[in-house]
Structure formats: C-alpha cells, structure tokens
mmCIF file of all heavy atoms in Angstrom:
data_model
loop_
_atom_site.group_PDB
_atom_site.id
_atom_site.type_symbol
_atom_site.label_atom_id
_atom_site.label_comp_id
_atom_site.label_asym_id
_atom_site.label_seq_id
_atom_site.Cartn_x
_atom_site.Cartn_y
_atom_site.Cartn_z
ATOM 1 N N ILE T 1 5.388 -13.978 10.876
ATOM 2 C CA ILE T 1 5.303 -13.433 12.227
ATOM 3 C C ILE T 1 6.696 -13.061 12.707
ATOM 4 O O ILE T 1 7.622 -13.851 12.569
ATOM 5 C CB ILE T 1 4.679 -14.458 13.201
ATOM 6 C CG1 ILE T 1 3.299 -14.909 12.698
ATOM 7 C CG2 ILE T 1 4.586 -13.893 14.597
ATOM 8 C CD1 ILE T 1 2.666 -15.977 13.540
ATOM 9 N N ASN T 2 6.849 -11.846 13.242
ATOM 10 C CA ASN T 2 8.096 -11.462 13.898
ATOM 11 C C ASN T 2 7.758 -10.563 15.085
ATOM 12 O O ASN T 2 6.583 -10.269 15.311
ATOM 13 C CB ASN T 2 9.063 -10.794 12.911
ATOM 14 C CG ASN T 2 8.520 -9.511 12.328
ATOM 15 O OD1 ASN T 2 7.853 -8.747 13.010
ATOM 16 N ND2 ASN T 2 8.823 -9.258 11.067
ATOM 17 N N PRO T 3 8.733 -10.119 15.865
ATOM 18 C CA PRO T 3 8.413 -9.322 17.052
ATOM 19 C C PRO T 3 7.774 -7.978 16.757
ATOM 20 O O PRO T 3 7.310 -7.314 17.663
ATOM 21 C CB PRO T 3 9.785 -9.129 17.726
ATOM 22 C CG PRO T 3 10.628 -10.229 17.212
ATOM 23 C CD PRO T 3 10.161 -10.461 15.817
ATOM 24 N N TYR T 4 7.751 -7.570 15.499
ATOM 25 C CA TYR T 4 7.295 -6.220 15.181
ATOM 26 C C TYR T 4 5.886 -6.172 14.606
ATOM 27 O O TYR T 4 5.138 -5.235 14.851
ATOM 28 C CB TYR T 4 8.269 -5.578 14.194
ATOM 29 C CG TYR T 4 9.693 -5.658 14.666
ATOM 30 C CD1 TYR T 4 10.575 -6.556 14.084
ATOM 31 C CD2 TYR T 4 10.146 -4.865 15.714
ATOM 32 C CE1 TYR T 4 11.894 -6.643 14.522
ATOM 33 C CE2 TYR T 4 11.451 -4.954 16.162
ATOM 34 C CZ TYR T 4 12.326 -5.846 15.568
ATOM 35 O OH TYR T 4 13.599 -5.942 15.995
ATOM 36 N N LEU T 5 5.526 -7.139 13.823
ATOM 37 C CA LEU T 5 4.224 -7.076 13.179
ATOM 38 C C LEU T 5 3.825 -8.458 12.686
ATOM 39 O O LEU T 5 4.633 -9.380 12.640
ATOM 40 C CB LEU T 5 4.241 -6.096 11.989
ATOM 41 C CG LEU T 5 5.294 -6.331 10.891
ATOM 42 C CD1 LEU T 5 4.766 -7.283 9.828
ATOM 43 C CD2 LEU T 5 5.679 -5.004 10.256
ATOM 44 N N VAL T 6 2.550 -8.568 12.320
ATOM 45 C CA VAL T 6 2.032 -9.751 11.646
ATOM 46 C C VAL T 6 1.486 -9.292 10.312
ATOM 47 O O VAL T 6 0.671 -8.379 10.246
ATOM 48 C CB VAL T 6 0.904 -10.423 12.465
ATOM 49 C CG1 VAL T 6 0.333 -11.599 11.697
ATOM 50 C CG2 VAL T 6 1.438 -10.892 13.817
ATOM 51 N N LYS T 7 1.951 -9.890 9.242
ATOM 52 C CA LYS T 7 1.490 -9.510 7.916
ATOM 53 C C LYS T 7 0.915 -10.730 7.215
ATOM 54 O O LYS T 7 1.600 -11.725 7.028
ATOM 55 C CB LYS T 7 2.628 -8.930 7.078
ATOM 56 C CG LYS T 7 2.180 -8.544 5.662
ATOM 57 C CD LYS T 7 3.327 -8.046 4.819
ATOM 58 C CE LYS T 7 2.856 -7.705 3.407
ATOM 59 N NZ LYS T 7 3.969 -7.283 2.538
ATOM 60 N N LEU T 8 -0.344 -10.630 6.838
ATOM 61 C CA LEU T 8 -0.984 -11.682 6.058
ATOM 62 C C LEU T 8 -1.203 -11.159 4.655
ATOM 63 O O LEU T 8 -1.929 -10.190 4.455
ATOM 64 C CB LEU T 8 -2.332 -12.080 6.685
ATOM 65 C CG LEU T 8 -3.155 -13.104 5.897
ATOM 66 C CD1 LEU T 8 -2.412 -14.426 5.816
ATOM 67 C CD2 LEU T 8 -4.518 -13.303 6.523
ATOM 68 N N GLU T 9 -0.557 -11.758 3.687
ATOM 69 C CA GLU T 9 -0.717 -11.346 2.298
ATOM 70 C C GLU T 9 -1.847 -12.132 1.664
ATOM 71 O O GLU T 9 -1.801 -13.366 1.629
ATOM 72 C CB GLU T 9 0.577 -11.574 1.510
ATOM 73 C CG GLU T 9 1.635 -10.541 1.787
ATOM 74 C CD GLU T 9 2.746 -10.560 0.748
ATOM 75 O OE1 GLU T 9 2.911 -11.574 0.059
ATOM 76 O OE2 GLU T 9 3.430 -9.537 0.631
ATOM 77 N N LYS T 10 -2.839 -11.424 1.179
ATOM 78 C CA LYS T 10 -3.942 -12.044 0.457
ATOM 79 C C LYS T 10 -3.748 -11.748 -1.026
ATOM 80 O O LYS T 10 -4.028 -10.652 -1.495
ATOM 81 C CB LYS T 10 -5.281 -11.514 0.970
ATOM 82 C CG LYS T 10 -5.553 -11.887 2.410
ATOM 83 C CD LYS T 10 -6.945 -11.488 2.861
ATOM 84 C CE LYS T 10 -7.087 -10.003 3.004
ATOM 85 N NZ LYS T 10 -8.387 -9.611 3.579
ATOM 86 N N ILE T 11 -3.252 -12.727 -1.739
ATOM 87 C CA ILE T 11 -2.925 -12.549 -3.154
ATOM 88 C C ILE T 11 -4.050 -13.144 -3.985
ATOM 89 O O ILE T 11 -4.271 -14.355 -3.962
ATOM 90 C CB ILE T 11 -1.596 -13.230 -3.506
ATOM 91 C CG1 ILE T 11 -0.486 -12.724 -2.566
ATOM 92 C CG2 ILE T 11 -1.223 -12.970 -4.953
ATOM 93 C CD1 ILE T 11 0.785 -13.525 -2.649
ATOM 94 N N PRO T 12 -4.802 -12.335 -4.702
ATOM 95 C CA PRO T 12 -5.939 -12.873 -5.456
ATOM 96 C C PRO T 12 -5.500 -13.775 -6.590
ATOM 97 O O PRO T 12 -4.428 -13.591 -7.180
ATOM 98 C CB PRO T 12 -6.631 -11.610 -5.990
ATOM 99 C CG PRO T 12 -5.538 -10.595 -6.066
ATOM 100 C CD PRO T 12 -4.624 -10.885 -4.913
ATOM 101 N N GLY T 13 -6.331 -14.767 -6.901
ATOM 102 C CA GLY T 13 -6.033 -15.624 -8.040
ATOM 103 C C GLY T 13 -6.107 -14.865 -9.351
ATOM 104 O O GLY T 13 -5.458 -15.230 -10.333
ATOM 105 N N LYS T 14 -6.885 -13.790 -9.354
ATOM 106 C CA LYS T 14 -7.010 -12.935 -10.536
ATOM 107 C C LYS T 14 -7.261 -11.516 -10.063
ATOM 108 O O LYS T 14 -8.199 -11.272 -9.306
ATOM 109 C CB LYS T 14 -8.161 -13.405 -11.429
ATOM 110 C CG LYS T 14 -8.381 -12.552 -12.666
ATOM 111 C CD LYS T 14 -9.573 -13.044 -13.475
ATOM 112 C CE LYS T 14 -9.824 -12.183 -14.697
ATOM 113 N NZ LYS T 14 -11.011 -12.643 -15.462
ATOM 114 N N ALA T 15 -6.421 -10.581 -10.482
ATOM 115 C CA ALA T 15 -6.602 -9.188 -10.096
ATOM 116 C C ALA T 15 -7.844 -8.623 -10.785
ATOM 117 O O ALA T 15 -8.048 -8.827 -11.978
ATOM 118 C CB ALA T 15 -5.376 -8.370 -10.473
ATOM 119 N N GLU T 16 -8.675 -7.926 -10.019
ATOM 120 C CA GLU T 16 -9.909 -7.358 -10.568
ATOM 121 C C GLU T 16 -9.975 -5.874 -10.253
ATOM 122 O O GLU T 16 -9.359 -5.397 -9.290
ATOM 123 C CB GLU T 16 -11.114 -8.101 -9.996
ATOM 124 C CG GLU T 16 -11.092 -9.592 -10.331
ATOM 125 C CD GLU T 16 -12.370 -10.304 -9.914
ATOM 126 O OE1 GLU T 16 -13.451 -9.828 -10.291
ATOM 127 O OE2 GLU T 16 -12.281 -11.328 -9.218
ATOM 128 N N GLY T 17 -10.750 -5.164 -11.058
ATOM 129 C CA GLY T 17 -10.784 -3.715 -10.979
ATOM 130 C C GLY T 17 -11.206 -3.162 -9.640
ATOM 131 O O GLY T 17 -10.789 -2.067 -9.258
ATOM 132 N N TRP T 18 -12.033 -3.888 -8.891
ATOM 133 C CA TRP T 18 -12.546 -3.358 -7.633
ATOM 134 C C TRP T 18 -11.587 -3.597 -6.466
ATOM 135 O O TRP T 18 -11.840 -3.173 -5.341
ATOM 136 C CB TRP T 18 -13.900 -3.999 -7.300
ATOM 137 C CG TRP T 18 -13.887 -5.497 -7.261
ATOM 138 C CD1 TRP T 18 -14.114 -6.348 -8.294
ATOM 139 C CD2 TRP T 18 -13.609 -6.325 -6.127
ATOM 140 N NE1 TRP T 18 -14.012 -7.652 -7.888
ATOM 141 C CE2 TRP T 18 -13.703 -7.671 -6.554
ATOM 142 C CE3 TRP T 18 -13.306 -6.074 -4.800
ATOM 143 C CZ2 TRP T 18 -13.494 -8.753 -5.696
ATOM 144 C CZ3 TRP T 18 -13.090 -7.145 -3.942
ATOM 145 C CH2 TRP T 18 -13.192 -8.459 -4.393
ATOM 146 N N MET T 19 -10.464 -4.288 -6.717
ATOM 147 C CA MET T 19 -9.543 -4.654 -5.632
ATOM 148 C C MET T 19 -8.542 -3.543 -5.337
ATOM 149 O O MET T 19 -7.350 -3.783 -5.185
ATOM 150 C CB MET T 19 -8.796 -5.945 -5.996
ATOM 151 C CG MET T 19 -9.668 -7.169 -6.052
ATOM 152 S SD MET T 19 -8.713 -8.631 -6.508
ATOM 153 C CE MET T 19 -9.936 -9.919 -6.294
ATOM 154 N N GLY T 20 -8.990 -2.333 -5.241
ATOM 155 C CA GLY T 20 -8.089 -1.232 -4.934
ATOM 156 C C GLY T 20 -8.206 -0.811 -3.483
ATOM 157 O O GLY T 20 -8.807 -1.492 -2.658
ATOM 158 N N ILE T 21 -7.616 0.325 -3.161
ATOM 159 C CA ILE T 21 -7.747 0.916 -1.833
ATOM 160 C C ILE T 21 -9.027 1.730 -1.830
ATOM 161 O O ILE T 21 -9.125 2.744 -2.530
ATOM 162 C CB ILE T 21 -6.522 1.797 -1.507
ATOM 163 C CG1 ILE T 21 -5.251 0.940 -1.499
ATOM 164 C CG2 ILE T 21 -6.702 2.505 -0.170
ATOM 165 C CD1 ILE T 21 -3.971 1.740 -1.324
ATOM 166 N N THR T 22 -10.013 1.284 -1.088
ATOM 167 C CA THR T 22 -11.349 1.882 -1.182
ATOM 168 C C THR T 22 -11.367 3.339 -0.730
ATOM 169 O O THR T 22 -12.244 4.098 -1.141
ATOM 170 C CB THR T 22 -12.356 1.077 -0.340
ATOM 171 O OG1 THR T 22 -11.884 0.990 1.022
ATOM 172 C CG2 THR T 22 -12.512 -0.335 -0.890
ATOM 173 N N GLU T 23 -10.401 3.734 0.100
ATOM 174 C CA GLU T 23 -10.362 5.125 0.558
ATOM 175 C C GLU T 23 -9.934 6.084 -0.549
ATOM 176 O O GLU T 23 -10.184 7.283 -0.457
ATOM 177 C CB GLU T 23 -9.410 5.265 1.745
ATOM 178 C CG GLU T 23 -9.914 4.670 3.043
ATOM 179 C CD GLU T 23 -9.625 3.189 3.162
ATOM 180 O OE1 GLU T 23 -9.205 2.567 2.164
ATOM 181 O OE2 GLU T 23 -9.821 2.637 4.261
ATOM 182 N N PHE T 24 -9.269 5.589 -1.587
ATOM 183 C CA PHE T 24 -8.774 6.454 -2.658
ATOM 184 C C PHE T 24 -9.841 6.621 -3.735
ATOM 185 O O PHE T 24 -10.545 5.677 -4.075
ATOM 186 C CB PHE T 24 -7.504 5.880 -3.278
ATOM 187 C CG PHE T 24 -6.308 5.874 -2.350
ATOM 188 C CD1 PHE T 24 -5.114 5.280 -2.741
ATOM 189 C CD2 PHE T 24 -6.376 6.455 -1.092
ATOM 190 C CE1 PHE T 24 -4.013 5.268 -1.893
ATOM 191 C CE2 PHE T 24 -5.279 6.447 -0.234
ATOM 192 C CZ PHE T 24 -4.100 5.847 -0.634
ATOM 193 N N GLU T 25 -9.905 7.825 -4.277
ATOM 194 C CA GLU T 25 -10.921 8.139 -5.272
ATOM 195 C C GLU T 25 -10.336 8.450 -6.645
ATOM 196 O O GLU T 25 -11.066 8.445 -7.637
ATOM 197 C CB GLU T 25 -11.759 9.341 -4.792
ATOM 198 C CG GLU T 25 -12.511 9.068 -3.489
ATOM 199 C CD GLU T 25 -13.300 10.276 -3.010
ATOM 200 O OE1 GLU T 25 -13.314 11.301 -3.752
ATOM 201 O OE2 GLU T 25 -13.882 10.218 -1.915
ATOM 202 N N THR T 26 -9.050 8.733 -6.706
ATOM 203 C CA THR T 26 -8.441 9.132 -7.977
ATOM 204 C C THR T 26 -7.086 8.443 -8.154
ATOM 205 O O THR T 26 -6.464 7.977 -7.185
ATOM 206 C CB THR T 26 -8.225 10.654 -8.036
ATOM 207 O OG1 THR T 26 -7.265 11.027 -7.033
ATOM 208 C CG2 THR T 26 -9.522 11.403 -7.816
ATOM 209 N N LEU T 27 -6.627 8.415 -9.407
ATOM 210 C CA LEU T 27 -5.303 7.878 -9.707
ATOM 211 C C LEU T 27 -4.220 8.695 -9.015
ATOM 212 O O LEU T 27 -3.202 8.156 -8.561
ATOM 213 C CB LEU T 27 -5.084 7.886 -11.223
ATOM 214 C CG LEU T 27 -3.708 7.418 -11.719
ATOM 215 C CD1 LEU T 27 -3.459 5.966 -11.326
ATOM 216 C CD2 LEU T 27 -3.615 7.585 -13.242
ATOM 217 N N MET T 28 -4.428 9.996 -8.908
ATOM 218 C CA MET T 28 -3.445 10.878 -8.270
ATOM 219 C C MET T 28 -3.146 10.421 -6.841
ATOM 220 O O MET T 28 -1.994 10.496 -6.379
ATOM 221 C CB MET T 28 -3.959 12.322 -8.269
ATOM 222 C CG MET T 28 -3.050 13.318 -7.583
ATOM 223 S SD MET T 28 -1.559 13.702 -8.542
ATOM 224 C CE MET T 28 -2.240 14.923 -9.690
ATOM 225 N N GLU T 29 -4.144 9.926 -6.141
ATOM 226 C CA GLU T 29 -3.925 9.497 -4.760
ATOM 227 C C GLU T 29 -3.022 8.271 -4.690
ATOM 228 O O GLU T 29 -2.194 8.145 -3.774
ATOM 229 C CB GLU T 29 -5.274 9.225 -4.084
ATOM 230 C CG GLU T 29 -6.020 10.508 -3.750
ATOM 231 C CD GLU T 29 -7.515 10.318 -3.643
ATOM 232 O OE1 GLU T 29 -7.945 9.482 -2.830
ATOM 233 O OE2 GLU T 29 -8.255 11.006 -4.382
ATOM 234 N N TYR T 30 -3.145 7.364 -5.643
ATOM 235 C CA TYR T 30 -2.233 6.220 -5.695
ATOM 236 C C TYR T 30 -0.802 6.699 -5.958
ATOM 237 O O TYR T 30 0.160 6.169 -5.389
ATOM 238 C CB TYR T 30 -2.667 5.239 -6.777
ATOM 239 C CG TYR T 30 -3.874 4.406 -6.407
ATOM 240 C CD1 TYR T 30 -5.152 4.787 -6.785
ATOM 241 C CD2 TYR T 30 -3.731 3.231 -5.667
ATOM 242 C CE1 TYR T 30 -6.263 4.021 -6.442
ATOM 243 C CE2 TYR T 30 -4.828 2.456 -5.327
ATOM 244 C CZ TYR T 30 -6.092 2.856 -5.718
ATOM 245 O OH TYR T 30 -7.182 2.104 -5.371
ATOM 246 N N GLN T 31 -0.656 7.685 -6.830
ATOM 247 C CA GLN T 31 0.667 8.236 -7.108
ATOM 248 C C GLN T 31 1.260 8.880 -5.852
ATOM 249 O O GLN T 31 2.425 8.646 -5.507
ATOM 250 C CB GLN T 31 0.586 9.260 -8.237
ATOM 251 C CG GLN T 31 0.213 8.673 -9.591
ATOM 252 C CD GLN T 31 0.038 9.749 -10.650
ATOM 253 O OE1 GLN T 31 -0.978 10.434 -10.704
ATOM 254 N NE2 GLN T 31 1.037 9.916 -11.487
ATOM 255 N N MET T 32 0.450 9.693 -5.176
ATOM 256 C CA MET T 32 0.922 10.337 -3.950
ATOM 257 C C MET T 32 1.312 9.299 -2.905
ATOM 258 O O MET T 32 2.326 9.461 -2.198
ATOM 259 C CB MET T 32 -0.178 11.243 -3.379
ATOM 260 C CG MET T 32 -0.462 12.489 -4.178
ATOM 261 S SD MET T 32 -1.750 13.468 -3.358
ATOM 262 C CE MET T 32 -1.871 14.872 -4.469
ATOM 263 N N PHE T 33 0.536 8.243 -2.809
ATOM 264 C CA PHE T 33 0.809 7.202 -1.820
ATOM 265 C C PHE T 33 2.148 6.514 -2.107
ATOM 266 O O PHE T 33 2.947 6.255 -1.195
ATOM 267 C CB PHE T 33 -0.330 6.189 -1.817
ATOM 268 C CG PHE T 33 -0.153 5.079 -0.813
ATOM 269 C CD1 PHE T 33 -0.051 5.364 0.539
ATOM 270 C CD2 PHE T 33 -0.094 3.765 -1.220
ATOM 271 C CE1 PHE T 33 0.113 4.344 1.471
ATOM 272 C CE2 PHE T 33 0.070 2.744 -0.300
ATOM 273 C CZ PHE T 33 0.174 3.032 1.051
ATOM 274 N N CYS T 34 2.410 6.223 -3.379
ATOM 275 C CA CYS T 34 3.683 5.595 -3.744
ATOM 276 C C CYS T 34 4.854 6.506 -3.415
ATOM 277 O O CYS T 34 5.904 6.053 -2.931
ATOM 278 C CB CYS T 34 3.692 5.238 -5.226
ATOM 279 S SG CYS T 34 2.620 3.836 -5.649
ATOM 280 N N TYR T 35 4.691 7.809 -3.650
ATOM 281 C CA TYR T 35 5.763 8.751 -3.324
ATOM 282 C C TYR T 35 5.950 8.854 -1.811
ATOM 283 O O TYR T 35 7.080 9.022 -1.322
ATOM 284 C CB TYR T 35 5.476 10.119 -3.936
ATOM 285 C CG TYR T 35 5.529 10.122 -5.452
ATOM 286 C CD1 TYR T 35 4.568 10.772 -6.211
ATOM 287 C CD2 TYR T 35 6.561 9.460 -6.116
ATOM 288 C CE1 TYR T 35 4.620 10.769 -7.596
ATOM 289 C CE2 TYR T 35 6.620 9.453 -7.502
ATOM 290 C CZ TYR T 35 5.650 10.103 -8.236
ATOM 291 O OH TYR T 35 5.703 10.075 -9.616
ATOM 292 N N LEU T 36 4.857 8.759 -1.055
ATOM 293 C CA LEU T 36 4.972 8.752 0.406
ATOM 294 C C LEU T 36 5.763 7.532 0.871
ATOM 295 O O LEU T 36 6.622 7.630 1.762
ATOM 296 C CB LEU T 36 3.585 8.769 1.044
ATOM 297 C CG LEU T 36 3.552 8.660 2.576
ATOM 298 C CD1 LEU T 36 4.282 9.852 3.219
ATOM 299 C CD2 LEU T 36 2.112 8.581 3.081
ATOM 300 N N LEU T 37 5.508 6.371 0.269
ATOM 301 C CA LEU T 37 6.268 5.161 0.610
ATOM 302 C C LEU T 37 7.755 5.349 0.301
ATOM 303 O O LEU T 37 8.617 4.890 1.062
ATOM 304 C CB LEU T 37 5.715 3.955 -0.152
ATOM 305 C CG LEU T 37 4.309 3.489 0.215
ATOM 306 C CD1 LEU T 37 3.902 2.307 -0.659
ATOM 307 C CD2 LEU T 37 4.216 3.110 1.682
ATOM 308 N N MET T 38 8.042 6.016 -0.820
ATOM 309 C CA MET T 38 9.441 6.289 -1.176
ATOM 310 C C MET T 38 10.100 7.170 -0.120
ATOM 311 O O MET T 38 11.248 6.932 0.282
ATOM 312 C CB MET T 38 9.519 6.971 -2.547
ATOM 313 C CG MET T 38 9.172 6.071 -3.715
ATOM 314 S SD MET T 38 9.030 6.993 -5.275
ATOM 315 C CE MET T 38 10.641 7.764 -5.390
ATOM 316 N N LEU T 39 9.376 8.180 0.329
ATOM 317 C CA LEU T 39 9.914 9.082 1.341
ATOM 318 C C LEU T 39 10.197 8.334 2.643
ATOM 319 O O LEU T 39 11.257 8.505 3.266
ATOM 320 C CB LEU T 39 8.922 10.226 1.583
ATOM 321 C CG LEU T 39 9.275 11.216 2.698
ATOM 322 C CD1 LEU T 39 10.505 12.035 2.304
ATOM 323 C CD2 LEU T 39 8.106 12.138 2.994
ATOM 324 N N LEU T 40 9.254 7.489 3.059
ATOM 325 C CA LEU T 40 9.403 6.754 4.315
ATOM 326 C C LEU T 40 10.506 5.702 4.237
ATOM 327 O O LEU T 40 11.079 5.325 5.267
ATOM 328 C CB LEU T 40 8.069 6.090 4.689
ATOM 329 C CG LEU T 40 6.904 7.043 4.996
ATOM 330 C CD1 LEU T 40 5.633 6.250 5.258
ATOM 331 C CD2 LEU T 40 7.235 7.939 6.185
ATOM 332 N N GLU T 41 10.794 5.223 3.028
ATOM 333 C CA GLU T 41 11.821 4.192 2.863
ATOM 334 C C GLU T 41 13.182 4.670 3.379
ATOM 335 O O GLU T 41 13.988 3.870 3.873
ATOM 336 C CB GLU T 41 11.925 3.821 1.375
ATOM 337 C CG GLU T 41 12.897 2.702 1.073
ATOM 338 C CD GLU T 41 12.403 1.331 1.521
ATOM 339 O OE1 GLU T 41 11.193 1.184 1.743
ATOM 340 O OE2 GLU T 41 13.246 0.425 1.631
ATOM 341 N N ASP T 42 13.435 5.965 3.281
ATOM 342 C CA ASP T 42 14.731 6.513 3.685
ATOM 343 C C ASP T 42 14.741 7.007 5.133
ATOM 344 O O ASP T 42 15.729 7.616 5.572
ATOM 345 C CB ASP T 42 15.133 7.669 2.757
ATOM 346 C CG ASP T 42 15.434 7.185 1.350
ATOM 347 O OD1 ASP T 42 15.886 6.035 1.207
ATOM 348 O OD2 ASP T 42 15.194 7.946 0.394
ATOM 349 N N LYS T 43 13.651 6.749 5.861
ATOM 350 C CA LYS T 43 13.582 7.210 7.248
ATOM 351 C C LYS T 43 13.607 6.028 8.208
ATOM 352 O O LYS T 43 13.044 4.973 7.919
ATOM 353 C CB LYS T 43 12.313 8.048 7.471
ATOM 354 C CG LYS T 43 12.296 9.331 6.642
ATOM 355 C CD LYS T 43 11.149 10.231 7.014
ATOM 356 C CE LYS T 43 11.176 11.510 6.181
ATOM 357 N NZ LYS T 43 12.406 12.302 6.393
ATOM 358 N N GLU T 44 14.250 6.209 9.339
ATOM 359 C CA GLU T 44 14.322 5.172 10.354
ATOM 360 C C GLU T 44 13.020 5.125 11.149
ATOM 361 O O GLU T 44 12.297 6.126 11.247
ATOM 362 C CB GLU T 44 15.491 5.436 11.304
ATOM 363 C CG GLU T 44 16.853 5.416 10.639
ATOM 364 C CD GLU T 44 17.214 4.040 10.116
ATOM 365 O OE1 GLU T 44 16.770 3.036 10.719
ATOM 366 O OE2 GLU T 44 17.935 3.964 9.093
ATOM 367 N N ALA T 45 12.731 3.964 11.732
ATOM 368 C CA ALA T 45 11.574 3.850 12.623
ATOM 369 C C ALA T 45 11.778 4.795 13.808
ATOM 370 O O ALA T 45 12.845 4.837 14.413
ATOM 371 C CB ALA T 45 11.419 2.413 13.105
#
C-alpha cells in the first residue's frame, strides 16, 4: 500500500495455460502489450 495505488499480487502455486489475460486472443497481442509497457516505462506520469 502506498499513496498512489494498492497492488495485490496473486502468484499461483503452479502456472497453468488458462491463466492469461482473457481479453487477448493471440500471441501478437501479448507482444504488443509488452512493447506498450516498454514505451510507457520512459514516460513520466
């Protein structure tokens, strides 16, 4: 907990195939999402 956000990490005891981002339908979308995170990393709030 901090003044900006609350983050609860749910770390599974065993990673399973269905534990993905349900909104994504293809591998390409995961790739695009990672690149979006890279882009945002260099930007200020």
